[in-house]
Amino acid sequence: MVGKHAAAWALTLLAGIASLNVSAAEQPAKSLAAHYGIPDPAAIAHRGDSWNAPEETRAAFILARDEGADYLEADLQRTRDGVLIALHDTNLKRTTNVAERFPDRADAPVSDFTLAELKSLDAGSWFNKAHPERARSSFKGLKIVTLDELISIAEGGNNKPGLYLETKEPKLFPGIEKDLRDKLAERGWLSKGAKGNGDVNVASTRGRVILETFERDSLVKLNHEMPDVPKILLLWIGDGHIPAAKQAPRAKGESDASYYAKSRVRSRDDYYQWLDFAKAHGAEGVGPATRLADGGEWSYMDMTQPWMNEAAHQRGLLIHPYTIDKPVDFKRFQQLGVDGMFANDIRALLSFYKRPAQQSVDQILKAQGF
């Protein structure tokens, strides 16, 4: 009997050791997610449900909210009169009718326009032209959304998603980090508890807000303004980002995806230095670019290689790669041990996570007047 118990105990111990070996590198990051209340894995709606509605509009954000997203992701810029808005591109040509409304300013940056001027634009019709199979007449005339309006959307449904907010091209908007802190505090999305800049209390409500940026300088400023709010340093290879290894010049007619797929970091030490900078300046994670199976529009460089993920996890950094929409890629990145994903097609990601939306796209949009 003693021998049998010993054998059973040994088998149990070996199984436990094997389990620890599989996940040891991931444990610091998972503990960090639990500490901040960040879902693991996290389903991040990239610009809202931008697969089924015009990106960063009320329709896209409400749809993602009611489908069950953990976070509504948005790119923040600032109007000429100082209002934070959600918009990706630094000009308005791709996603609005600015060329019709303001033909002499069609190439002007967002910061050249007042909020009233931006609100006069149609930010939805472009989607119907680009994606006729998903078009809706109610998308025509959709407006650009302010951060204030986005917060109200996040608060307005049965599902209460967090906000995943990027300082977009922050060099164009000096002080945007402070503006962001002030708005989040004003709306009660930053709770009292930890001292931030000066006499302002800026501890976040356990993972309710995640801040993201590609710019190291902006990460430093975000950490200064909101030291207790989780932050993600987005990763890219090339000028101003992680140094790139030399590669052949771009071939004539070569697609973005094909060209990006050849990109490599110059050295592992360069990569480690970016991780160490992120960790030293308040980041709780990294958001790496990804190379997708089909090499489509959202396919970039391969920055989720096993050695990269292991290095991030060993430093206690979460890994939230962008932007992933298909089951073949969901499965591959999950097997690589990432801690969540950005998705345009958030419904597909939620289904993969076995958290399918309870209503159809049509049901949600019709219920919300779209």
Side-chain angles (χ1 to χ4, degrees):
M1 291 294 292
V2 174
K4 289 181 179 179
H5 283 303
W9 178 84
L11 288 172
T12 301
L13 178 62
L14 288 172
I17 290 171
S19 176
L20 286 171
N21 287 338
V22 167
S23 59
E26 299 176 16
Q27 288 309 310
K30 291 184 180 299
S31 296
L32 190 69
H35 172 74
Y36 277 100
I38 298 171
D40 180 22
I44 306 156
H46 186 241
R47 309 179 199 173
D49 183 342
S50 52
W51 183 261
N52 289 300
E55 65 184 58
E56 306 206 57
T57 62
R58 181 175 177 81
F61 287 131
I62 286 178
L63 190 54
R65 178 197 70 190
D66 291 354
E67 287 169 329
D70 294 318
Y71 290 98
L72 307 181
E73 191 266 353
D75 306 277
L76 298 183
Q77 301 188 60
R78 190 172 60 207
T79 68
R80 194 172 76 199
D81 45 346
V83 179
L84 296 181
I85 62 162
L87 192 80
H88 177 268
D89 296 7
T90 52
N91 69 44
L92 299 146
K93 291 176 70 173
R94 181 176 65 89
T95 59
T96 78
N97 62 336
V98 67
E100 298 171 15
R101 289 281 294 119
F102 304 101
D104 57 330
R105 298 158 67 194
D107 292 309
V110 171
S111 57
D112 192 55
F113 295 83
T114 66
L115 179 63
E117 288 173 329
L118 292 176
K119 284 290 190 181
S120 74
L121 299 175
D122 176 350
S125 291
W126 72 272
F127 181 88
N128 290 346
K129 296 174 184 176
H131 306 288
E133 72 282 8
R134 300 191 289 277
R136 299 176 75 91
S137 59
S138 57
F139 290 161
K140 182 179 180 180
L142 286 175
K143 304 302 180 186
I144 289 171
V145 171
T146 67
L147 174 58
D148 217 28
E149 292 167 335
L150 175 57
I151 292 171
S152 293
I153 290 169
E155 295 174 341
N158 292 326
N159 179 41
K160 306 291 184 185
L163 296 176
Y164 209 119
L165 303 173
E166 179 181 349
T167 53
K168 188 70 180 178
E169 298 292 344
K171 291 184 177 67
L172 300 177
F173 307 101
I176 192 172
E177 296 84 4
K178 181 180 182 300
D179 292 344
L180 174 54
R181 181 205 66 191
D182 290 347
K183 176 54 66 177
L184 291 172
E186 175 191 318
R187 290 298 303 267
W189 277 62
L190 298 177
S191 61
K192 293 183 178 180
K195 289 290 183 180
N197 181 25
D199 60 355
V200 179
N201 292 312
V202 292
S204 75
T205 305
R206 296 186 63 78
R208 196 179 189 195
V209 181
I210 297 178
L211 309 172
E212 57 172 330
T213 184
F214 279 98
E215 304 295 333
R216 299 205 302 182
D217 184 57
S218 189
L219 175 65
V220 171
K221 292 174 181 177
L222 288 169
N223 194 45
H224 176 69
E225 298 292 348
M226 293 171 277
D228 294 293
V229 178
K231 287 166 283 290
I232 299 289
L233 182 61
L234 300 168
L235 301 181
W236 187 261
I237 299 172
D239 292 345
H241 301 281
I242 302 173
K246 290 184 179 180
Q247 67 183 72
R250 187 166 185 161
K252 184 177 180 179
E254 185 176 15
S255 69
D256 287 345
S258 173
Y259 180 70
Y260 290 142
K262 300 172 186 175
S263 298
R264 300 287 186 274
V265 296
R266 187 176 61 187
S267 71
R268 292 196 177 197
D269 282 343
D270 287 318
Y271 187 77
Y272 298 151
Q273 287 174 18
W274 274 72
L275 296 186
D276 291 337
F277 182 93
K279 189 70 177 178
H281 292 87
E284 277 68 51
V286 290
T290 57
R291 189 171 68 197
L292 305 178
D294 65 359
E297 177 186 359
W298 299 94
S299 186
Y300 305 118
M301 57 276 296
D302 184 3
M303 301 190 70
T304 54
Q305 297 173 52
W307 69 267
M308 293 175 163
N309 293 346
E310 182 179 5
H313 278 149
Q314 285 177 342
R315 288 162 172 78
L317 293 167
L318 300 170
I319 304 168
H320 290 168
Y322 63 92
T323 302
I324 304 155
D325 290 320
K326 295 185 177 179
V328 62
D329 291 311
F330 297 151
K331 182 177 180 180
R332 179 162 60 95
F333 290 114
Q334 184 181 61
Q335 290 172 341
L336 286 168
V338 305
D339 306 293
M341 305 180 211
F342 290 79
N344 300 303
D345 190 352
I346 194 65
R347 292 181 71 90
L349 179 57
L350 288 166
S351 292
F352 178 77
Y353 284 157
K354 303 190 186 309
R355 296 164 44 195
Q358 299 303 300
Q359 293 181 297
S360 69
V361 170
D362 191 58
Q363 286 172 325
I364 293 172
L365 289 176
K366 281 186 175 179
Q368 295 293 334
F370 295 107

